[in-house]
Amino acid sequence: QLKRAGINIIEMGFLRNQVKYSGNSTFFSSVQDANQYIQQIYVNDQRKDEKYVLFMDYGLYNVANLDKADYLGISGIRYGFTKKDYCTSLKEIVSEMKQIKDKGYDLYFQDVNTNGYEKDEIIKLISIANEVGPVSFGIVDTYGSMYLDELENLWNIVDYYLDKSIAIDFHSHNNMQLSFALTQRLIQLVNNNRKLIIDSTLNGMGKCAGNLNTELIVDFLSRKY
């Protein structure tokens, strides 16, 4: 249904080391576990230009176990890491991101809780992104604690320093019921001057108070854009 609705990027779930996949779960032990569902989708539907991705947390999946990318299956990895990881394991993080790209995947760069970084740390993260060359760089409100002025400050930093060929990816949580408002404001700030990816979930389903609702943002984009 997401495919038929024209959603560009569909995230299927999570890659985890300590999982033996047996169905009825979105925690996968390999890319092939997720690809079987994509194959079922194309029994009745032709592929258009949509992409399918999985999420990988630093330290929770061995990149060496990652199969080569398959255009007809999972073609991208959204790769996340915490500030603690940034402080202790930055070399390994950069190495894993490069390995993901070397295996043919689109890389979506997500630094967890972006507003928990100092300005100079964000600039360093952006310089790493510019070096690695992901599809997108995340502005991530992991704890739903961001206000509009904080989003604008982050936008100004990221837009100034991030290579224009790299999209900005906004990932929000709704603890203060601001996901929808923050996303609308970011769309205004971007103003079609660079690529923007918006993360959302069906019914807003997600950690704590949830994420931006897919239904709300698609309706907004359809009406206004």
Side-chain angles (χ1 to χ4, degrees), residues 27-52:
F27 287 93
F28 299 109
S29 51
S30 73
V31 167
Q32 293 307 317
D33 293 337
N35 281 349
Q36 64 180 307
Y37 293 102
I38 300 169
Q39 290 161 7
Q40 290 176 43
I41 291 168
Y42 292 123
V43 170
N44 297 313
D45 282 279
Q46 287 189 339
R47 188 179 188 93
K48 294 184 180 177
D49 60 353
E50 74 280 356
K51 296 184 177 183
Y52 297 90

Side-chain angles (χ1 to χ4, degrees), residues 2 9-17 19 21 24-31 33-35 37-38 41 51-57 60-61 66 74-80 108 110 171 200-201 205:
L2 288 168
I9 303 168
I10 301 170
E11 187 171 302
M12 305 289 287
F14 304 83
L15 283 169
R16 288 287 189 271
N17 281 332
V19 169
Y21 186 72
N24 196 31
S25 171
T26 54
F27 287 93
F28 299 109
S29 51
S30 73
V31 167
D33 293 337
N35 281 349
Y37 293 102
I38 300 169
I41 291 168
K51 296 184 177 183
Y52 297 90
V53 308
L54 290 171
F55 184 79
M56 182 191 300
D57 287 286
L60 296 182
Y61 192 76
L66 196 61
I74 297 295
S75 63
I77 300 291
R78 186 164 66 97
Y79 182 87
Y108 303 86
Q110 289 232 314
H171 183 99
S200 64
T201 62
M205 179 173 57

Side-chain angles (χ1 to χ4, degrees), residues 71-172:
Y71 170 75
L72 296 177
I74 297 295
S75 63
I77 300 291
R78 186 164 66 97
Y79 182 87
F81 56 92
T82 66
K83 187 171 180 180
K84 180 182 177 184
D85 300 328
Y86 164 85
C87 293
T88 62
S89 308
L90 190 56
K91 273 190 178 180
E92 291 90 343
I93 288 168
V94 173
S95 173
E96 288 196 352
M97 289 193 291
K98 288 179 177 178
Q99 288 177 64
I100 289 167
K101 285 196 66 183
D102 287 344
K103 293 195 176 195
Y105 292 93
D106 291 335
L107 172 70
Y108 303 86
F109 181 121
Q110 289 232 314
D111 45 286
V112 172
N113 191 32
T114 310
N115 46 335
Y117 289 84
E118 300 296 330
K119 180 179 178 180
D120 61 328
E121 293 171 326
I122 294 171
I123 293 171
K124 184 174 181 180
L125 283 171
I126 293 168
S127 72
I128 292 167
N130 289 340
E131 174 198 343
V132 173
V135 171
S136 63
F137 176 88
I139 296 178
V140 186
D141 186 15
T142 304
Y143 302 111
S145 60
M146 196 181 291
Y147 287 112
L148 288 167
D149 63 315
E150 294 169 326
L151 174 67
E152 292 185 21
N153 288 338
L154 281 169
W155 155 254
N156 287 331
I157 296 168
V158 175
D159 183 50
Y160 184 81
Y161 289 98
L162 185 66
D163 189 295
K164 296 298 182 185
S165 66
I166 301 173
I168 289 175
D169 178 4
F170 185 52
H171 183 99
S172 62

